[in-house]
C-alpha cells in the first residue's frame, strides 16, 4: 500500500515539478490516482510540444509505426539485416541501432546531434513508477522487472549472460488486464522468466516505453519481446510476441528462444571466462615478472651497495695508510730536523766553550755525573759562568730531555736559572766541584 507521501514523492520525481503544493493539487484533482495524474501531465506536455512532432496518443503512434510515412519522417526507424554475430544461428533476427532507439549517440535531420530522449535518472524513475503501478494493479507476484532504464537492463542481461525479456504495457488496451493477471503473473510463467531472463517493463504512456514501442514496431498489444545486446551499439531482436497469449503459449515460445540462443550464451560466457582467465593469467604473469624484476633490482642494488661499501672501506683504508705514512714521514723528518738542530746546538755550545784550559790556580776542575751513571770531567776558568756548565752538558748530547738542573750534594745546592750568571768562583765551586744532573 502506497501512502500519500510516497505518491507525492514519486509524482515529483517523474514530472520534475519542485512545488509540492502544485503536485498535491494535481494529484487531488485526479483522486490521488498516480498513474492517471502522470498520464494527464505527460499528455499535456506532449500537446504543448506538438512542434517537435511528438504524438500525444501513444497507442495510435505505436499502431502506425510500421507505415512508410513513419519510416520516412522519424529517426526512430527499424534497421534490419545481419547482426554481425557469427554465433547466431537463429533465423529472422533483427538488429536495431541503439542510436535509432534513442539510447546511444545519434544525429537529427540536419546532421546535428539530437538530445538523449530520456536521461538515465528519468529512465530509472519511469521504471520504478511502472513497477509501482503494476504491483498496485496486479500484485507482487510478477516478473522481476528491473527498476532501471532499458540500457542499464540491457547491460545487466549482458553481464548475467541472459536474454532480456521486454514487456510494453498498454494500460488502455482491452486485453491488457487479462494478460497481466493470467499470463504475466501466473506462478509458472513468473518463475520461468525470473529464472532464465532479465526482465524489463515499461508503459507506453512513459517516454522510454513509448520510444521502445516505436523502435520495436509494436502494432498489437499486449506486446512482449526478447532481445539481447549485439555489437557496435546495436541490439538483436530474437522474438516478438504480439496479442494475448496463454501462459503455455508464452512458455513454449520463450523455451524455443532459449534453446536457439543457448549456444550463443554459452559461447559468450565461455569467451568471457576465457578472457577473464587470460587476463588473470596475464596479471599473474605480470605480477610474477614484476616480482622477479624487483628481486633482480633488489639484488643489483644490494650488489652495488656492497661494492660501494667495499670501495669506501678500501678508500678509507688507503686514506688511513697514506695518513700513517705521511705521519711517519713527518715524524721522521721532524726527528731528523730535531737531531740536526741538536747537533748544531751541541756543536755551537762546544765551540762557545773554547779550548779546555790547562791546570792552574785559576782553573776549576768540574765532575758531572749523569742519571745513567756516566761521569764526565772538564776544566774551566774560575771566571766561567754556571751557564757554561749547562752548555757543556748540552754539548755532550747524553740527555733526551730539554729541562734539567745541575745540583751539588754536600751541601745540596741547585744551580738553577737564578744562578746562571754567577762565576764558578762566585758560586763556591772553585777550585773543584762535583755536580750531578737532576732531571726535571
Amino acid at each position: 500500500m502506497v501512502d500519500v507521501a510516497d505518491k507525492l514523492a514519486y509524482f515529483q520525481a517523474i514530472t520534475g515539478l519542485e512545488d509540492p503544493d502544485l503536485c498535491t493539487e494535481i494529484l487531488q484533482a485526479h483522486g490521488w490516482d498516480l498513474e492517471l495524474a502522470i498520464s494527464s501531465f505527460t499528455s499535456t506536455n506532449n500537446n504543448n510540444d506538438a512542434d517537435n512532432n511528438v504524438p500525444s496518443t501513444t497507442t495510435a503512434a505505436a499502431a502506425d509505426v510500421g507505415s512508410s510515412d513513419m519510416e520516412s519522417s522519424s529517426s526512430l526507424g527499424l534497421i534490419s539485416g545481419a547482426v554481425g554475430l557469427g554465433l547466431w544461428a537463429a533465423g529472422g533476427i533483427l538488429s536495431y541501432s541503439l542510436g535509432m532507439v534513442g539510447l546511444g549517440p545519434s544525429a537529427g535531420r540536419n546532421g546535428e546531434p539530437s538530445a538523449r530522449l530520456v536521461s538515465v535518472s528519468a529512465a530509472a524513475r519511469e521504471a520504478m513508477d511502472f513497477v509501482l503501478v503494476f504491483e498496485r494493479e496486479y500484485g507482487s507476484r510478477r516478473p522481476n522487472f528491473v527498476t532501471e532504464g532499458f540500457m542499464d537492463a540491457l547491460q545487466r542481461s549482458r553481464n548475467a549472460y541472459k536474454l532480456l525479456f521486454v514487456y510494453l504495457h498498454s494500460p488502455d488496451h482491452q486485453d491488457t488486464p487479462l494478460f497481466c493477471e493470467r499470463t504475466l503473473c501466473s506462478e509458472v510463467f513468473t518463475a520461468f522468466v525470473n529464472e532464465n531472463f532479465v526482465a524489463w517493463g515499461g508503459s507506453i504512456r512513459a517516454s522510454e516505453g513509448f520510444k521502445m514501442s516505436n523502435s520495436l514496431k509494436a502494432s498489437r498489444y499486449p506486446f512482449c519481446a526478447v532481445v539481447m545486446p549485439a555489437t557496435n551499439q546495436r541490439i538483436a531482436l530474437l522474438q516478438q510476441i504480439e496479442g494475448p497469449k496463454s501462459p503455455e503459449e508464452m512458455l513454449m515460445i520463450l523455451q524455443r528462444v532459449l534453446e536457439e540462443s543457448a549456444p550463443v550464451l554459452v559461447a559468450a560466457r565461455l569467451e568471457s571466462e576465457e578472457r577473464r582467465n587470460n587476463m588473470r593469467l596475464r596479471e599473474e604473469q605480470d605480477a610474477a615478472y614484476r616480482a622477479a624484476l624487483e628481486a633482480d633490482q633488489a639484488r643489483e642494488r644490494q650488489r652495488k651497495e656492497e661494492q660501494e661499501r667495499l670501495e669506501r672501506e678500501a678508500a678509507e683504508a688507503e686514506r688511513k695508510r697514506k695518513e700513517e705514512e705521511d705521519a711517519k714521514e713527518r715524524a721522521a723528518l721532524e726527528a731528523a730536523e730535531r737531531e740536526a738542530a741538536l747537533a748544531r746546538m751541541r756543536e755551537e755550545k762546544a765551540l762557545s766553550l773554547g779550548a779546555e784550559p790547562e791546570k792552574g790556580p785559576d782553573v776549576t776542575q768540574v765532575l758531572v755525573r749523569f742519571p745513567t751513571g756516566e761521569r764526565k770531567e772538564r776544566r774551566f776558568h774560575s771566571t766561567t759562568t754556571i751557564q757554561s756548565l749547562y752548555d757543556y752538558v748540552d754539548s755532550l748530547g747524553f740527555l733526551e730531555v730539554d729541562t734539567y738542573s745541575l745540583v751539588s750534594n754536600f751541601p745540596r745546592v741547585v744551580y738553577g736559572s737564578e744562578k746562571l750568571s754567577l762565576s764558578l768562583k762566585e758560586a763556591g765551586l772553585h777550585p773543584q766541584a762535583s755536580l750531578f744532573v737532576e732531571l726535571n
Side-chain angles (χ1 to χ4, degrees):
M1 187 63 181
V2 181
D3 59 19
V4 171
D6 288 338
K7 288 183 178 181
L8 180 60
Y10 272 111
F11 187 80
Q12 285 183 289
I14 296 299
T15 61
L17 295 176
E18 298 180 358
D19 188 348
D21 295 333
L22 177 59
C23 294
T24 302
E25 291 179 4
I26 296 174
L27 287 168
Q28 287 176 343
H30 293 83
W32 287 96
D33 188 324
L34 184 59
E35 182 182 3
L36 184 60
I38 293 174
S39 177
S40 176
F41 179 83
T42 305
S43 177
T44 301
N45 286 344
N46 287 339
N47 288 333
N48 292 336
D49 296 335
D51 293 338
N52 293 328
N53 294 326
V54 179
S56 59
T57 308
T58 58
T59 305
D64 295 338
V65 74
S67 67
S68 60
D69 293 339
M70 186 65 179
E71 289 178 304
S72 63
S73 62
S74 173
S75 64
L76 302 178
L78 170 63
I79 300 177
S80 61
V83 177
L85 297 179
L87 294 174
W88 276 100
I93 298 174
L94 300 179
S95 177
Y96 298 84
S97 166
L98 295 182
M100 292 298 186
V101 174
L103 300 176
S106 62
R109 294 182 180 179
N110 297 326
E112 298 179 355
S114 61
R116 185 184 291 271
L117 296 182
V118 182
S119 67
V120 174
S121 58
R125 286 196 297 268
E126 286 184 4
M128 288 188 291
D129 181 63
F130 167 74
V131 173
L132 175 71
V133 174
F134 192 92
E135 281 192 353
R136 184 188 64 187
E137 296 292 335
Y138 304 108
S140 59
R141 189 176 67 188
R142 56 169 176 77
N144 292 331
F145 297 115
V146 293
T147 54
E148 55 194 18
F150 178 82
M151 278 296 292
D152 291 330
L154 194 66
Q155 185 60 43
R156 182 186 293 269
S157 70
R158 180 196 296 272
N159 296 338
Y161 304 103
K162 291 184 177 182
L163 303 179
L164 180 63
F165 175 78
V166 178
Y167 169 62
L168 298 180
H169 186 70
S170 176
D172 301 322
H173 198 281
Q174 60 184 5
D175 294 328
T176 295
L178 195 63
F179 177 76
C180 291
E181 292 172 359
R182 295 187 179 180
T183 300
L184 281 186
C185 297
S186 68
E187 183 175 357
V188 175
F189 180 78
T190 296
F192 182 79
V193 170
N194 292 340
E195 175 68 22
N196 298 286
F197 295 85
V198 173
W200 180 86
S203 173
I204 62 174
R205 288 181 176 176
S207 298
E208 195 164 29
F210 171 73
K211 172 191 59 187
M212 293 306 302
S213 69
N214 284 338
S215 301
L216 298 177
K217 299 186 180 298
S219 59
R220 292 183 59 197
Y221 293 91
F223 180 89
C224 300
V226 179
V227 302
M228 74 169 295
T231 58
N232 300 326
Q233 289 290 313
R234 303 173 76 86
I235 58 173
L237 174 62
L238 310 182
Q239 183 71 49
Q240 63 183 37
I241 308 167
E242 297 181 296
K245 295 289 187 293
S246 66
E248 291 75 18
E249 290 175 309
M250 291 290 292
L251 287 172
M252 183 167 51
I253 295 171
L254 295 184
Q255 182 64 45
R256 176 180 56 80
V257 174
L258 279 179
E259 292 174 356
E260 293 174 347
S261 307
V264 177
L265 297 177
V266 170
R269 180 182 289 106
L270 292 177
E271 182 182 356
S272 177
E273 291 177 354
E274 183 178 3
R275 284 197 304 271
R276 285 197 300 270
N277 290 335
N278 291 338
M279 184 178 298
R280 183 170 59 252
L281 179 60
R282 285 195 299 271
E283 290 175 351
E284 292 174 353
Q285 291 173 343
D286 291 344
Y289 172 76
R290 287 194 299 271
L293 181 61
E294 290 174 358
D296 291 341
Q297 291 173 344
R299 285 192 294 269
E300 180 63 18
R301 285 195 302 271
Q302 186 176 4
R303 186 191 66 79
K304 288 183 177 180
E305 290 173 356
E306 180 66 15
Q307 181 178 354
E308 291 173 356
R309 184 185 65 81
L310 293 175
E311 290 175 355
R312 286 195 303 271
E313 291 179 352
E316 180 68 14
E318 178 64 18
R319 184 187 63 80
K320 289 182 177 180
R321 186 191 65 78
K322 188 71 168 56
E323 288 179 352
E324 291 175 356
E325 289 182 355
D326 292 344
K328 289 179 180 179
E329 289 178 1
R330 286 195 302 272
L333 181 59
E334 291 172 357
E337 291 176 349
R338 284 196 303 271
E339 184 63 27
L342 288 173
R344 287 193 301 273
M345 182 268 294
R346 286 195 295 268
E347 184 178 358
E348 290 172 357
K349 290 189 175 186
L351 291 175
S352 67
L353 293 174
E356 183 177 6
E358 296 293 332
K359 293 181 180 180
D362 294 326
V363 175
T364 303
Q365 185 73 31
V366 178
L367 172 66
V368 179
R369 289 175 294 181
F370 291 87
T372 59
E374 194 167 358
R375 299 156 61 96
K376 286 292 182 178
E377 288 186 77
R378 191 183 190 283
R379 292 183 297 275
F380 295 90
H381 291 287
S382 60
T383 56
T384 301
T385 62
I386 298 296
Q387 177 64 57
S388 296
L389 297 183
Y390 278 92
D391 293 341
Y392 169 68
V393 172
D394 291 337
S395 68
L396 296 176
F398 291 163
L399 299 178
E400 299 293 334
V401 296
D402 296 331
T403 58
Y404 61 92
S405 299
L406 294 176
V407 182
S408 62
N409 276 333
F410 303 104
R412 175 178 171 80
V413 178
V414 177
Y415 299 94
S417 58
E418 73 280 1
K419 296 180 179 182
L420 294 179
S421 61
L422 295 177
S423 67
L424 299 181
K425 191 173 183 178
E426 292 173 342
L429 297 177
H430 183 73
Q432 61 181 12
S434 178
L435 303 174
F436 68 90
V437 177
E438 184 177 82
L439 301 179
N440 295 336

